Amino acid sequence: MGLFDDDFYSTKVPGRRLRMSEGGKRRWLEIRRGQGLSTLQISLISSVLSAVVAVLLFSFIVGLHSSTSRGDASTGAAPKPTDPFDRISWAAGKAAPAVVSILNHSELSHEEPERAALGSGVIFKKEKGKAYIITNTHVISGSEDLEVVTSDGISHKAKVTGQDSINDIAVLEIDDKGIHTVIDIGDSNKLRAGETVIAVGNPLGLGGTLTSGIVSYTNRMIPVSLNQDGVYDWEQEVIQTDAAINEGNSGGALVDLDGRLIGINTMKIADTGVEGLGFAIPVNDVMKTVDDLLLHGKVVRPYIGVYTLDLDNPYSPITDEQRQDLKLPSHVTEGVIVLEAHGPALEAGLKLNDVIIQLDKQPIQSTMELRRYLYENKKISDDLQVSYYRDGKLQSVTMKLSDKPSDAEIDAGLEDK
């Protein structure tokens, strides 16, 4: 039944009432008019009711919108726009104040500041008068003096809280004076290919630079050389993006259209003819590393204690003379040669030119596989069975894995020897 159906309201008198006797007609109408409402009165009442309903409905809608706007205001952010281009500006404006420039000064750069190595970082935490910054380990490598410059141009001296060369993540600490913005942490597991992202950083010293693109691939595995010798000895899972990333962007933020951190920009492929191949470490992996660095100053991993060279390394192949010195059987073509032994490996008796071929009877063909087996399958204090060749004879030893020392602890240990 409609709101204005005849059963609810009608200005017409039903026909059956008009057929009443002439004598009683006028009296009946007079009685009804005296006891009821006129057509004009009913019209006025209906108009007032309609106006009241309209006002209440409008107030409800405006009130709902206002409460949403107040919710956005309470976080210090403007309401999220719906236009996709405005959304990019909104997200960049939200994230950019939390992105800093990092200057890694050397002895030369104190006299010539333009010689300082450049990078970026992201403020992710404020606590007890300190602000904490995520960046890449390679950004602060070999640092003598670290300077952080915020988006409003204020300079701070920075201290290294912890760093991890394998995941290429470091945490810096500065005083929080003048720091008002901390970036929101997103969820890189929810990323989809084709999603719009924004890279914020300090490319070529141009701090506060924004570039945008899409997620080209969500979980690309790329080989990396941890000691920069051109030999791939680890694989890094990264987000691939076509947002422009240049020298100085390393350590900066890759954010989504909600202004949330979803990756730390780390590298690009810069070969001739290659465009739009940039990479960022997923924030979910980053924060696992960051938690360890804040708690321990390093990432807690099981440690075997060997420096190695791949037996079939195509970039640094061994000579026939070196192979003869190893006295390997002809069928042994893959494994890792021990160059130095420390910690558990040294205690177990491993030494120079031992060739490891198995861990817990699992074939090991390269240093990359050795690391992956340790980090994915073993824990600190676990026993590890190592099978290796020495002077042409297959041997086996069991060692107890220890906590991996930090790079600084390893360097200090080598200097003591």
Side-chain angles (χ1 to χ4, degrees):
M1 179 169 59
L3 185 60
F4 294 104
D5 231 337
D6 284 348
D7 289 339
F8 178 78
Y9 171 69
S10 176
T11 59
K12 296 181 179 180
V13 178
R16 65 178 182 274
R17 293 179 181 172
L18 295 177
R19 289 193 294 270
M20 296 178 65
S21 61
E22 185 67 23
K25 178 178 179 182
R26 184 174 299 278
R27 180 64 179 166
W28 183 88
L29 288 175
E30 288 174 356
I31 294 173
R32 298 297 298 172
R33 279 196 293 268
Q35 293 177 349
L37 298 174
S38 69
T39 299
L40 179 60
Q41 288 174 317
I42 293 174
S43 298
L44 289 173
I45 292 172
S46 297
S47 298
V48 171
L49 287 174
S50 298
V52 170
V53 170
V55 169
L56 291 175
L57 183 61
F58 177 77
S59 300
F60 174 76
I61 294 173
V62 172
L64 181 62
H65 175 72
S66 299
S67 65
T68 303
S69 299
R70 285 194 296 270
D72 291 338
S74 67
T75 63
K80 191 185 303 180
T82 56
D83 182 272
F85 295 103
D86 289 342
R87 185 81 174 269
I88 292 176
S89 297
W90 177 87
K94 179 182 177 184
V99 179
V100 300
S101 300
I102 297 177
L103 283 71
N104 185 346
H105 292 288
S106 62
E107 184 176 348
L108 293 175
S109 69
H110 286 295
E111 296 180 0
E112 301 178 63
E114 65 274 8
R115 290 199 176 193
L118 301 175
S120 306
V122 184
I123 303 170
F124 72 99
K125 181 180 180 180
K126 280 179 61 178
E127 185 178 73
K128 297 179 180 179
K130 302 292 183 182
Y132 295 90
I133 297 166
I134 302 170
T135 188
N136 289 137
T137 296
H138 74 260
V139 167
I140 64 168
S141 178
S143 63
E144 295 181 1
D145 183 12
L146 289 172
E147 180 184 0
V148 167
V149 181
T150 57
S151 60
D152 54 2
I154 306 300
S155 177
H156 298 255
K157 290 289 185 182
K159 172 185 175 183
V160 179
T161 301
Q163 57 182 304
D164 181 65
S165 59
I166 291 177
N167 287 334
D168 197 22
I169 292 295
V171 174
L172 307 182
E173 173 188 310
I174 62 174
D175 68 85
D176 70 353
K177 184 178 180 180
I179 304 296
H180 305 293
T181 304
V182 173
I183 203 159
D184 290 338
I185 304 299
D187 185 351
S188 53
N189 288 339
K190 294 182 179 179
L191 280 180
R192 298 172 298 166
E195 188 173 336
T196 299
V197 290
I198 308 164
V200 191
N202 179 36
L204 306 178
L206 304 174
T209 294
L210 309 173
T211 57
S212 67
I214 62 169
V215 174
S216 305
Y217 202 89
T218 56
N219 56 341
R220 181 76 69 192
M221 298 297 294
I222 59 172
V224 294
S225 175
L226 295 178
N227 55 7
Q228 304 296 311
D229 62 356
V231 178
Y232 297 132
D233 45 15
W234 187 239
E235 283 185 324
Q236 179 77 58
E237 181 178 332
V238 292
I239 301 164
Q240 181 182 328
T241 177
D242 67 350
I245 294 176
N246 294 285
E247 182 180 352
N249 268 117
S250 290
L254 189 71
V255 301
D256 61 16
L257 289 185
D258 289 318
R260 297 174 303 192
L261 182 69
I262 48 94
I264 295 294
N265 299 320
T266 185
M267 69 185 84
K268 68 175 289 186
I269 295 179
D271 291 343
T272 302
V274 177
E275 296 289 342
L277 286 177
F279 302 99
I281 306 170
V283 73
N284 290 23
D285 295 341
V286 169
M287 296 314 295
K288 291 177 184 176
T289 302
V290 166
D291 289 342
D292 267 355
L293 294 180
L294 290 175
L295 188 60
H296 306 289
K298 62 183 181 182
V299 175
V300 178
R301 293 190 182 95
Y303 177 63
I304 185 174
V306 291
Y307 287 89
T308 61
L309 175 69
D310 293 352
L311 186 59
D312 65 343
N313 190 333
Y315 301 99
S316 181
I318 63 173
T319 64
D320 292 339
E321 183 179 354
Q322 289 172 325
R323 185 174 178 88
Q324 289 176 2
D325 290 340
L326 295 175
K327 299 178 182 179
L328 290 173
S330 58
H331 68 276
V332 179
T333 58
E334 295 176 327
V336 294
I337 307 169
V338 175
L339 302 180
E340 294 180 12
H342 306 278
L346 181 62
E347 294 173 4
L350 291 183
K351 61 182 184 180
L352 175 67
N353 285 346
D354 287 345
V355 180
I356 299 173
I357 61 165
Q358 291 181 346
L359 297 180
D360 292 335
K361 298 185 179 180
Q362 300 296 315
I364 297 297
Q365 300 177 355
S366 64
T367 301
M368 188 184 300
E369 288 190 6
L370 184 147
R371 281 199 175 100
R372 184 181 295 113
Y373 182 83
L374 282 179
Y375 300 161
E376 294 181 358
N377 299 281
K378 309 300 288 188
K379 297 178 181 178
I380 297 169
S381 299
D382 282 355
D383 289 334
L384 177 71
Q385 183 182 13
V386 180
S387 300
Y388 62 96
Y389 276 97
R390 177 184 292 173
D391 296 328
K393 297 180 180 179
L394 181 61
Q395 302 185 39
S396 180
V397 66
T398 298
M399 63 182 68
K400 186 174 291 293
L401 298 173
S402 67
D403 179 8
K404 185 180 186 301
S406 67
D407 293 339
E409 291 170 335
I410 293 175
D411 292 341
L414 292 176
E415 291 173 0
D416 292 339
K417 292 185 180 298

